[in-house]
Amino acid sequence: MKQNLSAFILREWNDFILLLRNVPSLVVSIFILSVVCMNLLANKELFSFQYLALDCGFTLSWISFLCMDMICKRFGPKAAMKISILALFVNLCTFSLFNLLSRTPGMWGEFYTLLETNPDGAAIANDALNATFGGSWYVLFGSAIAMFSSSLVNAITNHWISKFISFQGFKNFAIRSYASTMIAQFIDNLIFARIVSYVFFGWSMTQVILCSLTGALMELLCEIVFSPLGYKICRYWEKNGIGNPYIQFKAEAK
């Protein structure tokens, strides 16, 4: 049993290392950066009405889903999940670093900007920036659960749909991406809003549901606009053999 587990772990680790060598680093970097930034921006509301509210994080979350769709198209759903887990790990490390540095006695630049005209306000601004960049455990927890769940749903849905459509080319990519993004984004927004916004920001369940749906629609619209670029990048990967060693490795492992 232990030998089988060790062999499995070693195989998956080798798979992951080879994957990182084959997925273009720029895509991985953009993916990770979007995850880190959208979780930071989730601390700020974009707007809040009686029946509708959105946080600023949704303005970037579509980028991570487009990257996932591109990786899933070329490297498969398992590869997309592994890159998602990597992004969550980097986000955790970033949060830990920000949290640690927010506890240092130094002051933010905004403190010195306000110091002469409003000393009390300068101290408040400094504390607020420390609290924002230091993060809150519930934001990290909610975003991690939401991101992991939605990444899994997005990868599985994207791959599952590909088995039932006969279209090729951009139409194939678009149908898979739009459907998986809409479902996964709704789940992502719903889980985060239910865990964080409902409990700690005082949102109503009506706001949670409408925010989740509206956010998913807005993020889907962004993906519709930029999906042709994502498809062209995938086609470039295919024409130039980018990722072939990993794809061949996966084919031989079956």
Side-chain angles (χ1 to χ4, degrees):
M1 181 66 179
K2 290 183 178 180
Q3 291 180 344
N4 291 336
L5 179 60
S6 299
F8 173 78
I9 294 175
L10 180 60
R11 183 172 65 252
E12 291 301 317
W13 176 253
N14 290 333
D15 181 286
F16 179 64
I17 295 300
L18 184 60
L19 176 65
L20 290 181
R21 291 173 179 170
N22 281 263
V23 179
S25 57
L26 181 60
V27 174
V28 176
S29 299
I30 292 174
F31 186 9
I32 293 175
L33 185 62
S34 69
V35 171
V36 172
C37 289
M38 75 181 183
N39 284 301
L40 181 61
L41 290 173
N43 288 281
K44 178 178 173 59
E45 288 180 335
L46 183 62
F47 58 80
S48 179
F49 302 122
Q50 183 177 1
Y51 297 110
L52 180 62
L54 284 177
D55 61 64
C56 291
F58 100 95
T59 60
L60 294 178
S61 60
W62 64 270
I63 297 176
S64 62
F65 280 88
L66 180 58
C67 289
M68 273 192 288
D69 290 336
M70 292 164 56
I71 295 171
C72 187
K73 173 75 166 59
R74 178 61 176 159
F75 299 94
K78 194 174 181 179
M81 272 304 302
K82 289 183 177 181
I83 299 298
S84 298
I85 293 173
L86 173 63
L88 289 174
F89 175 74
V90 173
N91 184 55
L92 174 61
C93 293
T94 303
F95 167 84
S96 300
L97 179 62
F98 282 2
N99 185 270
L100 178 64
L101 294 178
S102 69
R103 300 175 186 275
T104 61
M107 301 298 179
W108 290 89
E110 192 64 22
F111 173 84
Y112 297 104
T113 301
L114 298 173
L115 184 59
E116 292 185 3
T117 58
N118 188 359
D120 293 335
I124 293 173
N126 193 74
D127 291 341
L129 286 168
N130 279 330
T132 298
F133 282 90
S136 302
W137 66 267
Y138 53 83
V139 174
L140 178 67
F141 175 76
S143 64
I145 296 298
M147 184 66 187
F148 179 81
S149 302
S150 61
S151 297
L152 182 62
V153 170
N154 186 79
I156 292 175
T157 304
N158 190 301
H159 183 68
W160 180 79
I161 292 175
S162 69
K163 297 182 177 181
F164 294 92
I165 56 177
S166 58
F167 299 115
Q168 298 300 320
F170 175 70
K171 189 176 291 187
N172 177 288
F173 180 82
I175 293 174
R176 293 168 59 179
S177 298
Y178 300 165
S180 61
T181 294
M182 182 63 193
I183 296 171
Q185 286 279 20
F186 177 75
I187 291 174
D188 181 275
N189 295 336
L190 183 64
I191 293 175
F192 181 82
R194 181 61 181 84
I195 294 176
V196 178
S197 303
Y198 178 78
V199 177
F200 298 99
F201 295 167
W203 287 13
S204 66
M205 278 305 299
T206 301
Q207 285 179 314
V208 167
I209 295 173
L210 288 179
C211 166
S212 301
L213 181 59
T214 304
L217 290 172
M218 293 299 294
E219 289 153 344
L220 175 61
L221 178 61
C222 291
E223 177 139 346
I224 290 174
V225 172
F226 291 99
S227 60
L229 175 61
Y231 175 71
K232 288 182 179 179
I233 293 174
C234 287
R235 289 290 298 155
Y236 175 82
W237 292 349
E238 293 172 1
K239 289 181 179 179
N240 291 275
I242 296 175
N244 279 353
Y246 179 79
I247 295 171
Q248 292 171 2
F249 172 79
K250 295 296 293 183
E252 292 171 0
K254 291 182 179 180

PDB file of all heavy atoms in Angstrom, residues 135-154:
ATOM      1  N   GLY A 135      -4.664  41.352   5.252  1.00  0.00           N
ATOM      2  CA  GLY A 135      -5.692  40.363   4.942  1.00  0.00           C
ATOM      3  C   GLY A 135      -6.435  39.878   6.162  1.00  0.00           C
ATOM      4  O   GLY A 135      -6.063  40.143   7.310  1.00  0.00           O
ATOM      5  N   SER A 136      -7.474  39.153   5.896  1.00  0.00           N
ATOM      6  CA  SER A 136      -8.285  38.532   6.945  1.00  0.00           C
ATOM      7  C   SER A 136      -8.377  37.049   6.649  1.00  0.00           C
ATOM      8  O   SER A 136      -8.496  36.648   5.489  1.00  0.00           O
ATOM      9  CB  SER A 136      -9.691  39.151   6.984  1.00  0.00           C
ATOM     10  OG  SER A 136      -9.622  40.554   7.206  1.00  0.00           O
ATOM     11  N   TRP A 137      -8.343  36.256   7.683  1.00  0.00           N
ATOM     12  CA  TRP A 137      -8.348  34.806   7.488  1.00  0.00           C
ATOM     13  C   TRP A 137      -9.600  34.347   6.752  1.00  0.00           C
ATOM     14  O   TRP A 137      -9.554  33.408   5.958  1.00  0.00           O
ATOM     15  CB  TRP A 137      -8.250  34.104   8.843  1.00  0.00           C
ATOM     16  CG  TRP A 137      -9.458  34.322   9.720  1.00  0.00           C
ATOM     17  CD1 TRP A 137      -9.638  35.287  10.657  1.00  0.00           C
ATOM     18  CD2 TRP A 137     -10.670  33.555   9.697  1.00  0.00           C
ATOM     19  NE1 TRP A 137     -10.885  35.196  11.229  1.00  0.00           N
ATOM     20  CE2 TRP A 137     -11.545  34.125  10.671  1.00  0.00           C
ATOM     21  CE3 TRP A 137     -11.108  32.450   8.962  1.00  0.00           C
ATOM     22  CZ2 TRP A 137     -12.806  33.634  10.919  1.00  0.00           C
ATOM     23  CZ3 TRP A 137     -12.392  31.961   9.216  1.00  0.00           C
ATOM     24  CH2 TRP A 137     -13.213  32.533  10.187  1.00  0.00           C
ATOM     25  N   TYR A 138     -10.742  35.028   7.015  1.00  0.00           N
ATOM     26  CA  TYR A 138     -11.978  34.576   6.394  1.00  0.00           C
ATOM     27  C   TYR A 138     -11.999  34.865   4.897  1.00  0.00           C
ATOM     28  O   TYR A 138     -12.614  34.120   4.127  1.00  0.00           O
ATOM     29  CB  TYR A 138     -13.208  35.189   7.085  1.00  0.00           C
ATOM     30  CG  TYR A 138     -13.194  36.691   7.216  1.00  0.00           C
ATOM     31  CD1 TYR A 138     -13.591  37.518   6.157  1.00  0.00           C
ATOM     32  CD2 TYR A 138     -12.805  37.299   8.405  1.00  0.00           C
ATOM     33  CE1 TYR A 138     -13.598  38.894   6.284  1.00  0.00           C
ATOM     34  CE2 TYR A 138     -12.802  38.684   8.538  1.00  0.00           C
ATOM     35  CZ  TYR A 138     -13.202  39.472   7.477  1.00  0.00           C
ATOM     36  OH  TYR A 138     -13.199  40.836   7.605  1.00  0.00           O
ATOM     37  N   VAL A 139     -11.338  35.954   4.465  1.00  0.00           N
ATOM     38  CA  VAL A 139     -11.252  36.239   3.030  1.00  0.00           C
ATOM     39  C   VAL A 139     -10.388  35.187   2.343  1.00  0.00           C
ATOM     40  O   VAL A 139     -10.737  34.672   1.277  1.00  0.00           O
ATOM     41  CB  VAL A 139     -10.693  37.652   2.790  1.00  0.00           C
ATOM     42  CG1 VAL A 139     -10.466  37.883   1.297  1.00  0.00           C
ATOM     43  CG2 VAL A 139     -11.639  38.708   3.343  1.00  0.00           C
ATOM     44  N   LEU A 140      -9.254  34.862   2.961  1.00  0.00           N
ATOM     45  CA  LEU A 140      -8.372  33.840   2.399  1.00  0.00           C
ATOM     46  C   LEU A 140      -9.067  32.485   2.357  1.00  0.00           C
ATOM     47  O   LEU A 140      -9.016  31.776   1.343  1.00  0.00           O
ATOM     48  CB  LEU A 140      -7.097  33.732   3.239  1.00  0.00           C
ATOM     49  CG  LEU A 140      -6.096  32.668   2.782  1.00  0.00           C
ATOM     50  CD1 LEU A 140      -5.503  33.032   1.431  1.00  0.00           C
ATOM     51  CD2 LEU A 140      -4.993  32.481   3.813  1.00  0.00           C
ATOM     52  N   PHE A 141      -9.730  32.122   3.454  1.00  0.00           N
ATOM     53  CA  PHE A 141     -10.424  30.839   3.517  1.00  0.00           C
ATOM     54  C   PHE A 141     -11.538  30.769   2.480  1.00  0.00           C
ATOM     55  O   PHE A 141     -11.652  29.782   1.736  1.00  0.00           O
ATOM     56  CB  PHE A 141     -10.997  30.629   4.923  1.00  0.00           C
ATOM     57  CG  PHE A 141     -11.838  29.395   5.065  1.00  0.00           C
ATOM     58  CD1 PHE A 141     -11.251  28.146   5.157  1.00  0.00           C
ATOM     59  CD2 PHE A 141     -13.228  29.485   5.113  1.00  0.00           C
ATOM     60  CE1 PHE A 141     -12.028  27.004   5.281  1.00  0.00           C
ATOM     61  CE2 PHE A 141     -14.011  28.346   5.244  1.00  0.00           C
ATOM     62  CZ  PHE A 141     -13.405  27.111   5.318  1.00  0.00           C
ATOM     63  N   GLY A 142     -12.363  31.814   2.426  1.00  0.00           N
ATOM     64  CA  GLY A 142     -13.472  31.822   1.475  1.00  0.00           C
ATOM     65  C   GLY A 142     -13.010  31.791   0.033  1.00  0.00           C
ATOM     66  O   GLY A 142     -13.561  31.051  -0.792  1.00  0.00           O
ATOM     67  N   SER A 143     -11.970  32.562  -0.277  1.00  0.00           N
ATOM     68  CA  SER A 143     -11.472  32.595  -1.652  1.00  0.00           C
ATOM     69  C   SER A 143     -10.823  31.279  -2.043  1.00  0.00           C
ATOM     70  O   SER A 143     -10.939  30.844  -3.192  1.00  0.00           O
ATOM     71  CB  SER A 143     -10.478  33.745  -1.826  1.00  0.00           C
ATOM     72  OG  SER A 143      -9.324  33.547  -1.021  1.00  0.00           O
ATOM     73  N   ALA A 144     -10.128  30.629  -1.086  1.00  0.00           N
ATOM     74  CA  ALA A 144      -9.473  29.355  -1.390  1.00  0.00           C
ATOM     75  C   ALA A 144     -10.501  28.267  -1.685  1.00  0.00           C
ATOM     76  O   ALA A 144     -10.369  27.513  -2.655  1.00  0.00           O
ATOM     77  CB  ALA A 144      -8.578  28.942  -0.224  1.00  0.00           C
ATOM     78  N   ILE A 145     -11.529  28.187  -0.847  1.00  0.00           N
ATOM     79  CA  ILE A 145     -12.577  27.183  -1.056  1.00  0.00           C
ATOM     80  C   ILE A 145     -13.307  27.451  -2.371  1.00  0.00           C
ATOM     81  O   ILE A 145     -13.575  26.531  -3.157  1.00  0.00           O
ATOM     82  CB  ILE A 145     -13.582  27.194   0.111  1.00  0.00           C
ATOM     83  CG1 ILE A 145     -12.896  26.776   1.417  1.00  0.00           C
ATOM     84  CG2 ILE A 145     -14.753  26.250  -0.183  1.00  0.00           C
ATOM     85  CD1 ILE A 145     -12.344  25.379   1.422  1.00  0.00           C
ATOM     86  N   ALA A 146     -13.627  28.715  -2.615  1.00  0.00           N
ATOM     87  CA  ALA A 146     -14.355  29.078  -3.831  1.00  0.00           C
ATOM     88  C   ALA A 146     -13.521  28.801  -5.079  1.00  0.00           C
ATOM     89  O   ALA A 146     -14.021  28.247  -6.061  1.00  0.00           O
ATOM     90  CB  ALA A 146     -14.754  30.555  -3.774  1.00  0.00           C
ATOM     91  N   MET A 147     -12.240  29.170  -5.040  1.00  0.00           N
ATOM     92  CA  MET A 147     -11.381  28.992  -6.201  1.00  0.00           C
ATOM     93  C   MET A 147     -11.138  27.526  -6.501  1.00  0.00           C
ATOM     94  O   MET A 147     -11.184  27.102  -7.663  1.00  0.00           O
ATOM     95  CB  MET A 147     -10.044  29.704  -5.965  1.00  0.00           C
ATOM     96  CG  MET A 147      -9.104  29.665  -7.156  1.00  0.00           C
ATOM     97  SD  MET A 147      -9.752  30.594  -8.569  1.00  0.00           S
ATOM     98  CE  MET A 147      -8.548  30.175  -9.825  1.00  0.00           C
ATOM     99  N   PHE A 148     -10.886  26.741  -5.468  1.00  0.00           N
ATOM    100  CA  PHE A 148     -10.643  25.317  -5.686  1.00  0.00           C
ATOM    101  C   PHE A 148     -11.882  24.639  -6.262  1.00  0.00           C
ATOM    102  O   PHE A 148     -11.792  23.866  -7.228  1.00  0.00           O
ATOM    103  CB  PHE A 148     -10.252  24.637  -4.374  1.00  0.00           C
ATOM    104  CG  PHE A 148     -10.008  23.153  -4.511  1.00  0.00           C
ATOM    105  CD1 PHE A 148      -8.795  22.681  -4.983  1.00  0.00           C
ATOM    106  CD2 PHE A 148     -11.007  22.233  -4.194  1.00  0.00           C
ATOM    107  CE1 PHE A 148      -8.574  21.314  -5.132  1.00  0.00           C
ATOM    108  CE2 PHE A 148     -10.791  20.870  -4.340  1.00  0.00           C
ATOM    109  CZ  PHE A 148      -9.566  20.413  -4.808  1.00  0.00           C
ATOM    110  N   SER A 149     -13.043  24.926  -5.685  1.00  0.00           N
ATOM    111  CA  SER A 149     -14.297  24.307  -6.139  1.00  0.00           C
ATOM    112  C   SER A 149     -14.627  24.709  -7.571  1.00  0.00           C
ATOM    113  O   SER A 149     -14.970  23.861  -8.404  1.00  0.00           O
ATOM    114  CB  SER A 149     -15.448  24.705  -5.204  1.00  0.00           C
ATOM    115  OG  SER A 149     -15.186  24.324  -3.871  1.00  0.00           O
ATOM    116  N   SER A 150     -14.506  26.000  -7.863  1.00  0.00           N
ATOM    117  CA  SER A 150     -14.853  26.469  -9.202  1.00  0.00           C
ATOM    118  C   SER A 150     -13.841  25.987 -10.245  1.00  0.00           C
ATOM    119  O   SER A 150     -14.221  25.713 -11.383  1.00  0.00           O
ATOM    120  CB  SER A 150     -14.943  27.997  -9.218  1.00  0.00           C
ATOM    121  OG  SER A 150     -13.707  28.586  -8.866  1.00  0.00           O
ATOM    122  N   SER A 151     -12.569  25.871  -9.861  1.00  0.00           N
ATOM    123  CA  SER A 151     -11.559  25.359 -10.789  1.00  0.00           C
ATOM    124  C   SER A 151     -11.851  23.913 -11.156  1.00  0.00           C
ATOM    125  O   SER A 151     -11.732  23.517 -12.322  1.00  0.00           O
ATOM    126  CB  SER A 151     -10.160  25.457 -10.167  1.00  0.00           C
ATOM    127  OG  SER A 151      -9.812  26.792  -9.915  1.00  0.00           O
ATOM    128  N   LEU A 152     -12.241  23.133 -10.169  1.00  0.00           N
ATOM    129  CA  LEU A 152     -12.589  21.738 -10.414  1.00  0.00           C
ATOM    130  C   LEU A 152     -13.801  21.639 -11.332  1.00  0.00           C
ATOM    131  O   LEU A 152     -13.804  20.866 -12.301  1.00  0.00           O
ATOM    132  CB  LEU A 152     -12.874  21.039  -9.081  1.00  0.00           C
ATOM    133  CG  LEU A 152     -13.207  19.545  -9.143  1.00  0.00           C
ATOM    134  CD1 LEU A 152     -12.044  18.756  -9.721  1.00  0.00           C
ATOM    135  CD2 LEU A 152     -13.568  19.019  -7.747  1.00  0.00           C
ATOM    136  N   VAL A 153     -14.826  22.437 -11.040  1.00  0.00           N
ATOM    137  CA  VAL A 153     -16.038  22.432 -11.867  1.00  0.00           C
ATOM    138  C   VAL A 153     -15.723  22.900 -13.276  1.00  0.00           C
ATOM    139  O   VAL A 153     -16.200  22.316 -14.257  1.00  0.00           O
ATOM    140  CB  VAL A 153     -17.126  23.327 -11.226  1.00  0.00           C
ATOM    141  CG1 VAL A 153     -18.288  23.534 -12.195  1.00  0.00           C
ATOM    142  CG2 VAL A 153     -17.626  22.718  -9.928  1.00  0.00           C
ATOM    143  N   ASN A 154     -14.914  23.948 -13.407  1.00  0.00           N
ATOM    144  CA  ASN A 154     -14.583  24.485 -14.719  1.00  0.00           C
ATOM    145  C   ASN A 154     -13.829  23.462 -15.569  1.00  0.00           C
ATOM    146  O   ASN A 154     -14.148  23.255 -16.747  1.00  0.00           O
ATOM    147  CB  ASN A 154     -13.726  25.745 -14.560  1.00  0.00           C
ATOM    148  CG  ASN A 154     -13.463  26.441 -15.877  1.00  0.00           C
ATOM    149  OD1 ASN A 154     -14.300  27.155 -16.411  1.00  0.00           O
ATOM    150  ND2 ASN A 154     -12.278  26.238 -16.433  1.00  0.00           N
TER     151      ASN A 154
END
